[in-house]
Amino acid sequence: MSTTTPKRPASERRKTSGFQPRTAADHLPRAEASERHVGKGLAALLGMLVLVVGVPVGLVLLVGNPLPTSAPSLDWLTAPVTAEALINIVAVLVWLVWAHFVVCLVAEWRAVRAGRLPGMVPAGGGSQLVARRLIAGVLLLAGTATMTGQAPGQTGAPAASVVSTAEAGASAEQGARGGLTVGEVGTIEQASAGATEDDAARESARSSVTVTKFYEVKPPAGRHHDTLWDIADRTMGDPYRYKELYQLNKDRVQPDGRKLQDADLIQPGWQLVMPSDATGPDITSVRTQAPAATPAAPATTPDTSRAVLDEVGGRTAQVAADAAGGAGSEAVDRAGDLDVSSSSSDSGAGPVAVPDGQEVPLGDLALGGGMVLAGLALALSTRRGPYGDPGAAEQALRLAADGGRAELLDRGLRVLAAERVEQGLALPDAAAVYVGDDQVIVHLAGGGEHAAPPAPWQQTEEGGVWVLRAADLAGYPVDGPAPWPGLVNVARSHGFDLLIDLEYAPGLVSIGGDQQVAREVALSTVVDLVTHPWSDGTRVTLVGFAGSSADTLAELAPGRIDQVRSIEEALQVGRRDTDARRTLLRRLGVDGVLAGRSAGAGGDLRPHVIVLSGSPGPQEAQQLTELLAAGRTGVSVVCVGQTLAARWRFAVDASGHLDLGVLGLTGTARRLRHGDLETVAGWVRDTAEDGREASARAAALGPADAVATLPESGRAHVDAAASMQDRQEARAHVGLLGPVVVHAQGQVNPAREELLTELVTLVALHPEGVHDAVLRISLWPRGVDDDVVEATLASATQWLGTREDGSPLLDRDDSGRWRLGREVHVDWLELAALAGRRGVEPQRLAEVLGQARGETFSGTPGTRYSWLAFHQAARDARVVVTAVARHAASGLASLGDTGGAERVLRDGLTLVPRAQALWRDLLRLLGGSDPDSAARVVREMTLALGDTALEPETVSLAQHLTPDLRELG
């Protein structure tokens, strides 16, 4: 008999003081366990022999042969009842019971041999249970196999992870804090079809809901070890169903990096998927529902991205030139300043071509995924400041990033927080968040017992899932704090980016499995926490990471990443932060961190995540558990490697498959490797240096000098503005001094307004005219049919309206290029034209700056206007605005109009919030003789600059005017 039953080998032991790495010797069976199993097996064998052989032998010897020796007659019906007759009747009953028991024994034996569950024998009851236990005991004598799983750090072939008895795929589930109770899950998928936006159609779809159950293998109690046999007996009432458990969990990567490869051996801390009928206090249930997959955007492989960019750069220019009678080549050459939007979350490694013809080796950075790359691109943009030109590295990151998803999530969450405050309701906990190209799906803790979300968010029928469609977000102001700044992008599943909230974790979070890959997941988590806008200043403390790793990460977000030598130091910082938060919440009179953020204390309640490079020891684990036991305090701890103290234990294998354990979520892990981060750190250093030099140059320019330094395209703007009508007389207006906006004479379909605004903006920024080829590449980088282009141009022409003579304001010139008429006013062109003239009165300059509505060239949706991120006019405008604001403020101050000077500087800062030269002028103007005013301006400045590093001149001035704020240095 080769079938073995689950045993309790001593190799399952762990020291109670904490997890200890296994050695090869640990996989060998111990004599102690073998002796115990042999004893039980011999006892079961003896019992079986007594019942199967001893009972019939005893009956034959004591009562006699049970079979008749002659044919029966009717005399036995009238024969007297004697003692011998009674003994024979009882003997017959015993023979029947024995025969029934043998039938049960054979049924159980055959089921074991066939590897299936036994059927119920009629009237079996206790007899079948006794037979089952006897056979199980006998099978203990046959079990001597050992486990050959992976030790931590070993690599192996990728293994599929079974997450439920029904095919749920990579599903969207949630667990409530502490107990991880059931949460409802749903999804709404938006699909669009048709040639134009007018034909867009939406539909909602939900997949079937299943329940996934988990059991966590217990540590040994004395000499007793958990086994699949015992688990099946306790949770399903049938120890023979251990084979089901084995099949459900076979080759599933566990947090310690090993896999279940032998039914005899399981380890403490493993998380086992259970059948749907498993019950008991140790079973965790998670409702699962796979989100409907959205069509993935075409991946930007090196070949495809280069092909598209070559088209922009001019390889197809000859075709356009032939079509335009020779004028197209120059127009298409203009597209060299443009970016092409392409989404590639998981494209392979390799160089990415950028518009200036360079190739940037992104390497394995693509493993981080599109949203992580968007965060890195944002870090580069922040470090280069408002005046630097975006370099090839930043352009390559943007090309490979999912900037649209990142912006959709940030805007959607801030709108949710602000609108929830308006409702007077607290924010619930988010267990998991899925982000697609056109929707955000938030799975809430606690199931469906939540008030309906504010518009534009919607609630699914189950109530525990809130959904936001990107198309519904238009028109909502984004001015609230981020509600869940601890969200991190950990995986990609079903075409969605999967994020979890580290603050929501009920305790320590461990990332186990393949140690090298787990470390890469941790590095990606750190980068995600300090680069995305929704993190709202999240701080990270690194423990045990090599100095170079910590230094590399610190380059991305100066002042937000600290390094300590020991867990004790990190615990001190964590306790101090926790105490400070409790004090603040008591002072605010609110309950909980989420309520405190809603009350406006977000800056003082920013998350603090402690990341350990290894597993903590037993005493340290206990201290961390005590630190995190109070629920959401703003402090979270993540460690690399398995620890039984962790409440969330994740496992990742060498192929990057991530299993989030009892959360019931799986996907392809987001990873960043140290070597690639070193490359990014080099880009950051170079970008920061270029940004400092550009800032110094911009601060030294006057208005006319600033215009004189503009490239040829910038001077073309000045020339075009000379013939442009004033805004009061103009028949249409394009606003770029703030969020991009177009005011026109005609009516526009709201569904098409975004596209038409982008088209008009593109033409306005090219006074020399725009060829059809540039329009196509800029507005439809992935291709478009001719009839769509013509219909869009016709709609834009109708929307802008006509001149007094009836000719259109948007029309083709003789060379075939599209131009705006002089009757269309563009505020940026007006400012550039005034700046280029010498002797303009400061009041007139102040009047033009007064048109400021927000940051210049801003408010553009992330999924559109990708070309604008690299357009020279955006950089030119910031340089000119800074020069004009400083010049006008100086002139007004010299005339004694301090209030007017302040208004001009604040208008300039509205347009360029990170212009430190303007902040310094405002400090000198208001704080030169008033330390309180200076301190107030410094606080405004630090809030507006965010993660932007302070220039030395700014630090020196702030320290001089506000001695009590010397920590700025």
Side-chain angles (χ1 to χ4, degrees):
M1 197 68 183
S2 60
T3 305
T4 61
T5 58
K7 302 181 291 295
R8 304 182 182 95
S11 61
E12 288 184 343
R13 287 196 190 91
R14 289 285 186 274
K15 297 180 181 180
T16 57
S17 58
F19 173 74
Q20 300 293 329
R22 288 169 57 102
T23 64
D26 291 327
H27 294 292
L28 299 177
R30 304 291 178 86
E32 179 184 18
S34 299
E35 291 173 1
R36 182 169 64 252
H37 293 163
V38 169
K40 291 183 178 180
L42 289 175
L45 179 60
L46 179 60
M48 186 181 296
L49 290 174
V50 169
L51 292 175
V52 176
V53 180
V55 169
V57 170
L59 287 173
V60 170
L61 293 178
L62 297 176
V63 182
N65 185 6
L67 300 177
T69 57
S70 62
S73 66
L74 297 177
D75 295 339
W76 64 274
L77 295 175
T78 59
V81 178
T82 63
E84 182 180 0
L86 291 175
I87 292 175
N88 289 334
I89 291 173
V90 172
V92 170
L93 294 176
V94 173
W95 276 111
L96 292 176
V97 172
W98 174 84
H100 185 267
F101 173 77
V102 171
V103 172
C104 293
L105 193 69
V106 171
E108 293 290 327
W109 186 267
R110 293 183 62 186
V112 170
R113 291 292 304 271
R116 58 176 172 78
L117 293 178
M120 292 299 298
V121 177
S127 296
Q128 191 167 1
L129 180 60
V130 172
R132 184 176 304 172
R133 292 192 177 279
L134 288 175
I135 290 177
V138 172
L139 292 178
L140 286 173
L141 295 175
T144 58
T146 60
M147 181 180 178
T148 59
Q150 294 176 314
Q154 290 180 315
T155 58
S161 183
V162 182
V163 296
S164 74
T165 53
E167 290 295 327
S171 53
E173 306 91 348
Q174 64 182 27
R177 176 177 298 278
L180 292 174
T181 55
V182 175
E184 297 295 335
V185 180
T187 183
I188 295 179
E189 177 185 9
Q190 177 186 2
S192 56
T196 69
E197 277 90 26
D198 286 335
D199 301 323
R202 299 173 182 170
E203 63 179 12
S204 300
R206 286 177 297 156
S207 56
S208 59
V209 177
T210 60
V211 176
T212 306
K213 296 186 176 182
F214 293 89
Y215 174 89
E216 182 176 306
V217 180
K218 304 300 181 184
R223 299 177 64 182
H224 177 76
H225 297 259
D226 230 348
T227 65
L228 293 181
W229 176 275
D230 290 336
I231 295 170
D233 192 19
R234 289 196 304 270
T235 61
M236 295 178 284
D238 188 349
Y240 272 94
R241 295 183 64 184
Y242 78 90
K243 291 189 176 183
E244 285 185 66
L245 302 185
Y246 175 71
Q247 292 299 328
L248 280 175
N249 294 278
K250 181 181 179 182
D251 289 333
R252 187 168 180 262
V253 178
Q254 296 294 337
D256 63 358
R258 288 173 284 184
K259 304 174 183 178
L260 178 60
Q261 294 180 333
D262 192 306
D264 294 346
L265 295 177
I266 56 177
Q267 305 297 332
W270 282 13
Q271 295 166 343
L272 304 179
V273 176
M274 303 296 291
S276 59
D277 61 340
T279 58
D282 296 326
I283 297 296
T284 297
S285 298
V286 180
R287 282 191 79 120
T288 67
Q289 182 174 6
T294 54
T300 305
T301 63
D303 291 338
T304 58
S305 61
R306 185 180 297 112
V308 174
L309 289 164
D310 284 342
E311 182 177 359
V312 177
R315 287 195 182 179
T316 58
Q318 188 58 49
V319 177
D322 293 341
S329 59
E330 183 180 352
V332 177
D333 286 340
R334 290 284 308 148
D337 293 334
L338 307 182
D339 182 15
V340 178
S341 174
S342 58
S343 176
S344 172
S345 295
D346 296 301
S347 61
V352 174
V354 294
D356 58 7
Q358 301 183 47
E359 288 186 351
V360 179
L362 290 184
D364 290 325
L365 276 170
L367 294 173
M371 290 181 67
V372 176
L373 296 185
L376 291 174
L378 179 61
L380 287 180
S381 174
T382 299
R383 297 302 299 276
R384 76 174 151 85
Y387 310 110
D389 292 321
E394 182 181 343
Q395 297 184 50
L397 286 172
R398 287 182 180 271
L399 282 170
D402 273 337
R405 289 189 178 190
E407 183 172 355
L408 172 61
L409 177 63
D410 182 50
R411 296 179 64 215
L413 292 183
R414 293 183 191 276
V415 168
L416 173 63
E419 296 297 321
R420 194 73 171 177
V421 170
E422 289 292 326
Q423 286 183 323
L425 298 175
L427 278 164
D429 286 314
V433 177
Y434 282 87
V435 184
D437 291 335
D438 56 4
Q439 62 181 332
V440 178
I441 306 169
V442 176
H443 302 283
L444 303 174
E449 298 180 0
H450 298 285
W457 289 80
Q458 302 176 36
Q459 190 174 38
T460 61
E461 294 179 4
E462 291 81 4
V465 179
W466 291 353
V467 179
L468 171 71
R469 295 185 179 92
D472 298 334
L473 193 56
Y476 284 86
V478 183
D479 54 3
W484 303 301
L487 283 174
V488 291
N489 185 197
V490 294
R492 185 175 180 90
S493 175
H494 274 73
F496 290 81
D497 281 287
L498 169 61
L499 297 92
I500 60 170
D501 187 3
L502 292 179
E503 275 193 330
Y504 170 67
L508 180 64
V509 179
S510 67
I511 307 173
D514 185 289
Q515 291 291 92
Q516 180 59 38
V517 179
R519 187 181 180 88
E520 294 168 1
V521 173
L523 290 176
S524 175
T525 298
V526 173
V527 170
D528 213 40
L529 286 168
V530 299
T531 58
H532 277 304
W534 65 78
S535 62
D536 269 6
T538 297
R539 294 168 48 222
V540 175
T541 296
L542 303 176
V543 183
F545 284 84
S548 59
S549 296
D551 294 341
T552 298
L553 291 169
E555 292 279 356
L556 299 176
R560 293 178 60 180
I561 297 180
D562 298 317
Q563 183 181 18
V564 297
R565 296 183 177 180
S566 65
I567 296 179
E568 288 76 10
E569 294 181 63
L571 280 166
Q572 292 177 3
V573 177
R575 293 189 188 104
R576 185 169 61 247
D577 282 356
T578 301
D579 292 341
R581 285 174 171 82
R582 287 172 179 164
T583 301
L584 175 61
L585 293 176
R586 283 195 298 269
R587 187 170 71 248
L588 293 173
V590 297
D591 183 19
V593 171
L594 293 180
R597 289 178 184 143
S598 298
D604 296 320
L605 294 173
R606 58 184 180 175
H608 179 196
V609 181
I610 300 171
V611 183
L612 315 179
S613 64
S615 302
Q619 184 176 358
E620 296 162 334
Q622 178 62 29
Q623 293 174 329
L624 289 170
T625 300
E626 294 173 355
L627 174 67
L628 303 171
R632 187 189 287 266
T633 63
V635 177
S636 307
V637 181
V638 178
C639 75
V640 177
Q642 185 196 36
T643 172
L644 296 181
R647 297 297 299 274
W648 286 359
R649 290 198 280 278
F650 305 159
V652 63
D653 63 17
S655 69
H657 177 81
L658 180 66
D659 189 328
L660 301 186
V662 294
L663 291 181
L665 307 171
T666 61
T668 302
R670 293 312 194 192
R671 304 155 55 185
L672 288 177
R673 296 175 177 172
H674 175 72
D676 294 304
L677 286 179
E678 287 277 12
T679 301
V680 173
W683 294 342
V684 170
R685 287 189 290 269
D686 294 341
T687 299
E689 180 62 29
D690 293 342
R692 285 190 292 269
E693 294 177 359
S695 180
R697 289 194 299 269
L701 295 175
D705 296 328
V707 173
T709 62
L710 297 182
E712 182 178 351
S713 60
R715 292 194 293 275
H717 293 172
V718 177
D719 296 338
S723 60
M724 185 178 64
Q725 288 187 348
D726 292 338
R727 182 168 184 176
Q728 294 78 7
E729 302 173 356
R731 303 179 72 86
H733 170 71
V734 179
L736 297 173
L737 297 182
V740 175
V741 65
V742 174
H743 298 293
Q745 304 174 58
Q747 301 296 319
V748 62
N749 185 336
R752 297 179 59 82
E753 184 173 4
E754 182 181 300
L755 176 62
L756 299 183
T757 298
E758 183 180 9
L759 187 153
V760 173
T761 301
L762 179 64
V763 178
L765 288 175
H766 292 78
E768 74 284 2
V770 182
H771 195 275
D772 282 348
V774 178
L775 285 174
R776 287 173 176 269
I777 295 170
S778 302
L779 273 60
W780 299 279
R782 296 173 185 169
V784 67
D785 292 334
D786 292 342
D787 57 346
V788 176
V789 177
E790 293 300 328
T792 303
L793 286 167
S795 297
T797 301
Q798 182 180 8
W799 178 37
L800 281 181
T802 62
R803 302 180 178 91
E804 292 183 358
D805 61 3
S807 60
L809 294 177
L810 173 65
D811 199 5
R812 281 191 174 99
D813 61 13
D814 295 338
S815 64
R817 303 184 185 190
W818 291 91
R819 297 177 184 267
L820 293 178
R822 59 184 297 271
E823 294 82 5
V824 179
H825 178 267
V826 182
D827 54 8
W828 151 239
L829 298 185
E830 180 185 12
L831 177 63
L834 282 177
R837 302 174 192 168
R838 298 190 182 274
V840 177
E841 295 181 352
Q843 292 85 350
R844 175 59 178 144
L845 295 174
E847 180 184 346
V848 178
L849 284 177
Q851 300 180 72
R853 296 168 288 103
E855 186 171 357
T856 182
F857 287 51
S858 65
T860 56
T863 54
R864 305 207 62 87
Y865 295 89
S866 56
W867 53 270
L868 189 55
F870 303 109
H871 199 285
Q872 186 67 40
R875 178 261 183 196
D876 293 345
R878 290 188 286 268
V879 172
V880 171
V881 164
T882 302
V884 169
R886 298 192 72 194
H887 178 76
S890 175
L892 292 172
S894 65
L895 296 174
D897 188 359
T898 303
E902 180 183 358
R903 284 194 300 274
V904 169
L905 290 174
R906 291 195 178 278
D907 286 339
L909 288 169
T910 298
L911 293 166
V912 192
R914 294 188 293 160
Q916 295 190 39
L918 296 180
W919 282 112
R920 291 195 294 269
D921 287 350
L922 188 61
L923 260 175
R924 296 187 187 98
L925 180 68
L926 300 181
S929 58
D930 184 1
D932 292 338
S933 297
R936 185 177 65 254
V937 173
V938 169
R939 284 192 292 269
E940 291 181 55
M941 176 182 67
T942 54
L943 181 62
L945 293 180
D947 294 334
T948 302
L950 294 178
E951 297 169 1
E953 298 86 350
T954 305
V955 174
S956 300
L957 180 62
Q959 289 178 343
H960 174 69
L961 297 178
T962 57
D964 295 336
L965 297 177
R966 289 187 179 273
E967 63 269 17
L968 284 172

